[in-house]
Amino acid sequence: MGDFSPYDDNGGTVAAIAGQDYVLIACDSRLSTGSTILSRFTPKIYPLSKMTVFACSGFHADVLTLIKNLEVRMKLFIHEHGEEMSTKAVMALMLPTLYGRRFFPFYVRPIVAGLDRDGKGLVASYDPVGTPEFFDYVIQGSGENLVHPFLHNQIGAKRTLSDVPVQAPPGLTLDKAVKLLKDAFLAAAERDVYTGDTVTLVAMTAKGTETMEYQLRRD
Amino acid sequence: MATATFFDPESSGFQFDNYARNQQLVKQGIKPPKLMKTGTTTTAVIFKGGVVLGADTRATGGNIVMNKNCSKIHYLAKNMYCLGAGTAADTEYTTRLMAGKLELLAMSMRRIVPVKSAVRMLKQMLFRYQGHVSAALIVGGVDMLGPKIVSIAPHGSSDNAPYLAMGSGSIAAMSVLETNFRPDMTAEEAVKLVRDAINAGVTNDLFSGSNIDICVITIDGAQVIRPYEQNQPEVLKKANNYTFPRGTTTVLSQGVRKVDYHIVSTEIRKTDEEPMET
């Protein structure tokens, strides 16, 4: 019993890109512990409302509990105000939810992504105790270190001293973003043992939500 | 009399010159570098008239795949091969050292070295290093006593059995061997069984993966099939082309310099070409 730990790491990678008129969220579907696979199809994207989704890697039990807590708060909000929480409000709600457990944190690497009331893409990522980061593209999880430089290069254009960004998000179309994230997960599955099986891409626009799925390595 | 030097490159065995210093560095909080572990699934099976050895080809360092096609079937002698799991350098050098010793032994004895001799030498070496040489081996071969496979754990203990599995994928592989193994199989049946066992490790163990290598040894000789099977190459199709256009990297400055060089040697050779007609 001395070796008991309340935490586990179930691996996996999640990522999101915020565009002018869309938001794209991606995750792999492998759930693992140690050297074994628990599930080949447990996608890490969870819809919270019509406008907002939640994507999270880390300790799966904590991920599920965190979502339950968020859903309770979001339901209370609807009863109190007669409308769904905005994406920005959900992003703000993450802070007390995570920091409230400062000394026994949820072992999670969350992303909140969605559209604002004008249909513009919003993305935020957090550390386990709630420090938020708002960028145009974010990655969390076991493949983070592999995918981050790729997106910095391809989206952030951090490869040149010239002033012209090549594919900065205002100019990055949804179609291109889908291809980029698909390739990012393909590459991550090649080299990260905790990422694999399938990649799920969720594209949100004012018109609606589209879900895509592609095979990844299963070994 | 020759003077004793601090570093004698002629002496055999491992050097421990930096041991005390490294211990001190760790105490000061410096993290020692990580070794590359071959997570690995390896299996061996005896069939009627020979042995089949099999291994995956993934090498990992932490959660990163370091090598997607490394060879884990090591040569020991003409009639003998060795499967290696554990620290990549340890399996590689232990088997290479033993291959040399076995060759010398074969020449001095003027006959094929029996598998059990190789096993004895390997386990005595591993025991001497008290498990610090982390090599988990399966030795397989055919000699005058027939086909034989033996597994050797890093501390030097060994196991004899008609079917064996080692490495992090051994649990998955052994479940296949336990259900499908039969004594006196044909070579084809044994190869199929080993393939299925390795494949179980490749798909179910995160630290095993990529291709499957197989080695079949009979009294007529050994045959290494590498790769025996390639794992899912079709998923590597990229949606985009990532060739950078010229000028992507900003040129800060340019210059031309003369590089001085010495002519170390010259050689004039006759080419195979016909002399030019005039």
Side-chain angles (χ1 to χ4, degrees):
Chain A
M1 214 35 208
D3 291 335
F4 172 76
S5 164
Y7 292 123
D8 190 13
D9 185 357
N10 300 116
T13 309
V14 291
I17 297 175
Q20 282 301 92
D21 56 351
Y22 67 87
V23 68
L24 179 68
I25 310 99
C27 70
D28 75 311
S29 68
R30 178 174 289 181
L31 198 73
S32 57
T33 181
S35 65
T36 52
I37 295 168
L38 296 170
S39 167
R40 291 197 191 275
F41 194 71
T42 304
K44 296 160 187 68
I45 298 174
Y46 309 89
L48 287 178
S49 69
K50 259 181 262 165
M51 300 287 260
T52 317
V53 295
F54 179 77
C56 198
S57 79
F59 180 29
H60 194 57
D62 278 0
V63 173
L64 296 178
T65 310
L66 173 60
I67 290 167
K68 266 191 181 174
N69 288 355
L70 289 173
E71 279 172 351
V72 168
R73 295 296 297 265
M74 289 174 73
K75 196 156 274 180
L76 284 170
F77 184 97
I78 293 172
H79 290 312
E80 216 163 299
H81 298 93
E83 61 171 350
E84 279 193 332
M85 267 177 122
S86 67
T87 301
K88 267 192 180 154
V90 177
M91 287 174 171
L93 174 64
M94 289 294 288
L95 307 185
T97 313
L98 291 170
Y99 196 77
R101 295 179 58 97
R102 174 63 180 80
F103 296 109
F104 186 19
F106 289 125
Y107 186 61
V108 289
R109 313 298 309 278
I111 290 175
V112 175
L115 301 172
D116 69 6
R117 297 205 198 281
D118 305 323
K120 190 178 175 302
L122 292 172
V123 152
S125 70
Y126 303 83
D127 77 346
V129 288
T131 315
E133 278 177 341
F134 304 99
F135 292 118
D136 293 327
Y137 51 94
V138 293
I139 314 104
Q140 299 264 49
S142 58
E144 189 181 330
N145 297 342
L146 301 176
V147 177
H148 226 129
F150 173 69
L151 293 189
H152 271 327
N153 179 262
Q154 292 294 316
I155 304 177
K158 291 186 168 40
R159 60 177 180 224
T160 165
L161 289 173
S162 68
D163 301 329
V164 197
V166 183
Q167 282 188 332
L172 183 68
T173 62
L174 175 59
D175 189 44
K176 263 188 177 168
V178 167
K179 282 182 179 172
L180 273 182
L181 275 195
K182 188 192 161 195
D183 281 358
F185 274 79
L186 232 55
E190 282 295 311
R191 290 286 172 175
D192 175 27
V193 301
Y194 298 118
T195 301
D197 296 315
T198 58
V199 55
T200 307
L201 297 144
V202 177
M204 284 178 91
T205 59
K207 281 181 216 147
T209 305
E210 194 195 342
T211 307
M212 292 152 274
E213 235 171 63
Y214 300 99
Q215 280 289 313
L216 294 176
R217 288 186 80 101
R218 287 167 66 82
D219 62 350
Chain B
M1 198 188 90
T3 45
T5 51
F6 184 67
F7 171 65
D8 180 8
E10 296 297 316
S11 69
S12 65
F14 290 106
Q15 275 185 266
F16 296 93
D17 298 359
N18 289 331
Y19 183 76
R21 186 203 65 174
N22 291 346
Q23 289 272 302
Q24 194 60 37
L25 288 174
V26 170
K27 216 187 264 176
Q28 284 170 22
I30 288 163
K31 287 211 174 79
K34 270 213 154 177
L35 304 180
M36 184 161 77
K37 290 270 178 74
T38 52
T40 304
T41 309
T42 62
T43 59
V45 163
I46 292 183
F47 66 94
K48 201 175 169 70
V51 300
V52 178
L53 311 176
D56 72 308
T57 67
R58 174 176 286 186
T60 51
N63 68 317
I64 299 292
V65 177
M66 307 291 276
N67 192 342
K68 293 197 265 194
N69 191 22
C70 72
S71 174
K72 301 177 188 184
I73 304 182
H74 306 279
Y75 173 88
L76 282 185
K78 269 187 280 186
N79 63 324
M80 220 189 306
Y81 277 78
C82 183
L83 303 168
T87 302
D90 285 337
T91 56
E92 183 61 47
Y93 281 91
T94 309
T95 50
R96 209 188 280 185
L97 180 85
M98 209 45 66
K101 286 187 187 223
L102 292 173
E103 183 72 29
L104 290 171
L105 192 61
M107 285 194 283
S108 79
M109 293 200 311
R110 289 163 201 259
R111 65 182 170 101
I112 286 175
V113 179
V115 174
K116 61 174 168 184
S117 304
V119 169
R120 180 66 70 91
M121 286 156 76
L122 277 166
K123 67 188 289 182
Q124 283 178 348
M125 175 189 162
L126 291 179
F127 180 72
R128 196 162 66 229
Y129 287 103
Q130 291 290 303
H132 291 288
V133 173
S134 23
L137 309 169
I138 297 177
V139 182
V142 180
D143 56 27
M144 53 293 235
L145 299 165
K148 190 178 180 66
I149 53 170
V150 182
S151 73
I152 310 171
H155 285 263
S157 68
S158 61
D159 286 310
N160 270 293
Y163 52 95
L164 293 165
M166 275 232 152
S168 54
S170 63
I171 300 103
M174 188 49 88
S175 71
V176 173
L177 294 177
E178 287 283 4
T179 31
N180 294 331
F181 179 82
R182 284 174 297 103
D184 295 328
M185 288 183 291
T186 65
E188 289 72 32
E189 287 171 329
V191 166
K192 169 80 167 53
L193 175 59
V194 167
R195 188 226 86 97
D196 290 349
I198 298 294
N199 193 244
V202 162
T203 45
N204 295 303
D205 172 38
L206 293 179
F207 299 103
S208 306
S210 292
N211 307 332
I212 298 172
D213 292 345
I214 276 179
C215 172
V216 186
I217 310 174
T218 60
I219 198 72
D220 303 320
Q223 186 196 7
V224 180
I225 310 159
R226 176 175 151 78
Y228 175 80
E229 190 174 305
Q230 221 117 17
N231 198 33
Q232 307 173 322
E234 79 279 0
V235 294
L236 234 185
K237 284 188 194 114
K238 297 272 185 281
N240 284 330
N241 173 26
Y242 295 102
T243 314
F244 294 107
R246 232 192 140 99
T248 301
T249 307
T250 315
V251 177
L252 294 178
S253 67
Q254 269 179 297
V256 181
R257 260 194 313 171
K258 190 184 177 219
V259 180
D260 289 323
Y261 58 88
H262 302 288
I263 297 169
V264 178
S265 70
T266 56
E267 187 185 2
I268 298 166
R269 265 189 302 184
K270 190 181 167 214
T271 60
D272 295 333
E273 282 167 46
E274 291 287 311
M276 195 185 287
E277 301 282 336
T278 48

